[in-house]
Amino acid sequence: MTYVFNTPSDFASEAVRGLAAANPDALLHVPGGVVRADRTPAGQPALIVGGGSGHYPAFAGWVGDGMAHGAVCGNVFASPSASQVYSVARNAENGGGIILGFGNYAGDVLHFGAAAEKLRHEGHDVRILRVSDDIMSNPPELHRERRGVAGGLAVFKMTGAAIAAGATLDDAVRLARKANDATRSVGLAFDGCTMPGSTDALFHVEPGTMAVGLGIHGEPGVRDVPIGSAAEIAELLVDGVLAEEPARDGRSYGGRVAVILNGLGTVKYEELFVVYERVAAELAGCGLTVVAPEVGEFVTSLDMAGLSLTMVFLDEELERLWLAPATAPGYQRSIRAPGERRTSLWTAADEAVPRASVESRALAARIHAALTELRAVCAEHEDELGRLDAVAGDGDHGNAMVYGSRGACDAAAAALEAGAGARTLLLRAGSAWSDAAGGTSGALWGAALTAVGGGFSDDEGADVARVVATLCSGVEAMHRLGGAEPGEKTLIDAALPFREELLRPGVEPYAALREGVRRAREAAEATASFAAQRGRSRVLGEKSIGTPDPGATSFALLMAALSDHLVAGDTGARGSAAVVDTL
């Protein structure tokens, strides 16, 4: 729904005035819409685009150099009136003729047509450009009778580029129609949009389904299909557009395409990027070359949950116009001076595994077994840790611990297979935990594993005293990197008491581990009695009282599991001087 407005009936006009006020160097508000702040050069054709409001950055966001000269903005999802079109055109034109561009909808056809008639009676040379890229709205043989959707961006951008390059009115219209004839779009929605002041969407899509072939004015799709994964959505969109791919003759079209993946309002950038990765792969698999792809919000429908895919089948002329520079509040295309292209990339996989002794490789195998235990504990307690974190944080601690431990375990397995010793295995596991988990917990646990690894060697095994010492190093790394102190309701509240017991002189290592785990559990439970003072949770610190800290809780859980693993593996141990076969 639309949350911020004054009066629903004033929403569109206030929005366009606000856009002009936010871009005073680029736009000038005029009755009916906006025009460029700079005067149109004498004799240059003026491209006027427009339609209903609710589609930003279409259409007012496309006014600028290399794009449109003016935009007409009707009420939300309603065609602008003929008088609005006339007003914007008169303010933008400067003797070079006028192109009126709009999506092929009945109201727009009538009002833009009526304004064109009036302008022609006054002596202006006016041409009509109807964008008709929506393949779901008519069969291929009636392409110019289809609806206009996100393909308007490509058509108007190419038309504006042609005008900026010096095209006459006749040539600009020829190129505009050529661009429209080469453009195809298909879209889908997961739910409808809500008008300002309304409490319910214009339409709904049944749960578990998606509507294919929607319009951009709140029109529902032409058919409903089961909701798919990002990969399945990408395949559906690509297959739909490529069903109308022209023959690749190497002259008028050789398999080069402009691609626009457009979000309609609620499907946001990260989701679009996930889909586009698969779109790019699908197109490459079809032997197509993508030219300057665009992924983002270009033609929205208020808060509609949906997306669309547009392709332009390019020839040399259209490609040159697609790549031309453009500067507008809602669209930018710059020409980047090419530098030296990278020919190789560094990855961790390129790092050679150092030679390791038999003893260190045996120890590495046991460390991998211990990491497997920790991964199982994280998975078992994922929901609990997430629930604790959701009280005053963002609720992702359980997920992060699962992702981190799984990443570390997988990296350890790969290192083990490559013949790594204990040191190398733990260093790689630490990097993987940090990468997979991200966030605070990822950084701290990654640093801990790295510090523990630094205490081992690839040339020899280790006794239980060495193991205990490396665990202390891991806690110290967490303390040093995180900067938290006891009483601030963090992992450190459990970690420092654990370390104190391991460092207690004269205590047998396994006894120290057991006592350390007991202290860590008690300290983690005690964090329920005070407010968080670190990280995101400190903002809602008082709300956290009564709930143990998730980081301290997960630390106590993992150290308990590690201690149990060590003790269980020590049955029949040959003494602390032997290579530890308890990990």
Side-chain angles (χ1 to χ4, degrees), residues 235-488:
E235 183 178 0
L236 183 153
L237 295 173
V238 170
D239 288 350
V241 175
L242 290 187
E244 298 192 14
E245 181 189 12
R248 303 181 200 178
D249 58 13
R251 297 186 303 276
S252 61
Y253 170 64
R256 295 173 68 81
V257 292
V259 176
I260 302 167
L261 186 64
N262 174 61
L264 285 157
T266 297
V267 176
K268 306 310 290 183
Y269 280 78
E270 288 86 348
E271 296 169 274
L272 293 172
F273 292 140
V274 171
V275 174
Y276 185 73
E277 180 188 26
R278 300 306 292 259
V279 168
E282 291 276 339
L283 295 176
C286 294
L288 295 169
T289 300
V290 177
V291 179
E294 297 283 7
V295 180
E297 294 182 348
F298 304 104
V299 182
T300 59
S301 187
L302 291 175
D303 61 342
M304 183 181 287
L307 67 159
S308 64
L309 178 68
T310 297
M311 289 190 214
V312 185
F313 302 112
L314 299 169
D315 64 4
E316 289 186 6
E317 190 172 42
L318 292 181
E319 182 170 337
R320 184 171 62 254
L321 297 174
W322 176 242
L323 293 175
T327 303
Y331 184 81
Q332 302 282 325
R333 169 64 58 78
S334 59
I335 297 179
R336 185 182 67 86
E340 182 181 353
R341 300 291 291 183
R342 297 182 186 274
T343 57
S344 62
L345 295 174
W346 176 90
T347 67
D350 297 328
E351 294 275 296
V353 173
R355 186 183 300 273
S357 68
V358 172
E359 294 83 4
S360 188
R361 290 200 302 272
L363 180 57
R366 293 155 193 152
I367 292 171
H368 174 250
L371 288 171
T372 302
E373 291 281 340
L374 300 190
R375 179 179 66 180
V377 170
C378 290
E380 179 185 353
H381 294 276
E382 178 181 3
D383 291 343
E384 174 195 356
L385 295 173
R387 178 183 58 79
L388 295 178
D389 192 35
V391 172
D394 53 11
D396 70 344
H397 186 66
N399 299 122
M401 294 299 289
V402 167
Y403 297 156
S405 59
R406 183 169 60 209
C409 207
D410 290 347
L416 193 63
E417 185 176 351
R423 177 187 176 89
T424 297
L425 181 142
L426 276 165
L427 293 180
R428 294 193 173 192
S431 294
W433 190 309
S434 178
D435 288 345
T440 301
S441 69
L444 295 179
W445 281 99
L449 287 182
T450 299
V452 171
F456 289 123
S457 168
D458 287 331
D459 299 324
E460 59 186 4
D463 60 19
V464 70
R466 172 81 68 85
V467 173
V468 169
T470 62
L471 291 176
C472 290
S473 297
V475 172
E476 290 161 7
M478 288 176 155
H479 190 196
R480 184 171 58 251
L481 180 64
E485 296 297 337
E488 293 183 333

Side-chain angles (χ1 to χ4, degrees), residues 27-302:
L27 301 178
L28 179 66
H29 178 254
V30 299
V34 294
V35 296
R36 294 184 192 178
D38 295 336
R39 184 178 176 86
T40 300
Q44 185 179 85
L47 173 61
I48 310 302
V49 302
S53 295
H55 304 300
Y56 189 84
F59 295 93
W62 295 348
V63 174
D65 295 339
M67 295 284 283
H69 296 75
V72 194
C73 306
N75 286 324
V76 176
F77 297 165
S79 169
S81 68
S83 63
Q84 288 178 301
V85 177
Y86 176 83
S87 169
V88 173
R90 285 299 308 270
N91 279 289
E93 69 84 25
N94 194 16
I98 301 166
I99 301 174
L100 299 179
F102 50 89
N104 188 29
Y105 295 89
D108 292 304
V109 171
L110 290 172
H111 285 285
F112 277 86
E117 290 295 315
K118 182 176 181 180
L119 289 163
R120 287 174 184 140
H121 283 304
E122 295 177 353
H124 300 284
D125 192 347
V126 183
R127 313 295 176 86
I128 295 293
L129 171 61
R130 297 189 298 177
V131 177
S132 55
D133 54 305
D134 179 16
I135 66 172
M136 302 299 292
S137 57
N138 252 324
E141 61 270 20
L142 296 176
H143 176 68
R144 290 193 177 182
E145 302 304 316
R146 289 169 162 169
R147 297 183 299 197
V149 284
L153 171 64
V155 175
F156 298 148
K157 192 259 177 250
M158 292 179 182
T159 307
I163 293 171
T168 64
L169 181 63
D170 286 340
D171 208 27
V173 171
R174 177 187 67 81
L175 290 167
R177 290 176 178 158
K178 179 180 178 179
N180 182 65
D181 289 344
T183 302
R184 302 290 187 276
S185 298
V186 63
L188 56 85
F190 310 106
D191 203 6
C193 55
T194 307
M195 300 284 280
S198 297
T199 58
D200 196 18
L202 293 175
F203 71 91
H204 289 288
V205 179
E206 286 296 319
T209 67
M210 53 189 183
V212 181
L214 72 151
I216 59 169
H217 302 100
E219 307 98 328
V222 299
R223 74 174 190 269
D224 291 350
V225 299
I227 195 167
S229 66
E232 291 165 338
I233 288 170
E235 183 178 0
L236 183 153
L237 295 173
V238 170
D239 288 350
V241 175
L242 290 187
E244 298 192 14
E245 181 189 12
R248 303 181 200 178
D249 58 13
R251 297 186 303 276
S252 61
Y253 170 64
R256 295 173 68 81
V257 292
V259 176
I260 302 167
L261 186 64
N262 174 61
L264 285 157
T266 297
V267 176
K268 306 310 290 183
Y269 280 78
E270 288 86 348
E271 296 169 274
L272 293 172
F273 292 140
V274 171
V275 174
Y276 185 73
E277 180 188 26
R278 300 306 292 259
V279 168
E282 291 276 339
L283 295 176
C286 294
L288 295 169
T289 300
V290 177
V291 179
E294 297 283 7
V295 180
E297 294 182 348
F298 304 104
V299 182
T300 59
S301 187
L302 291 175

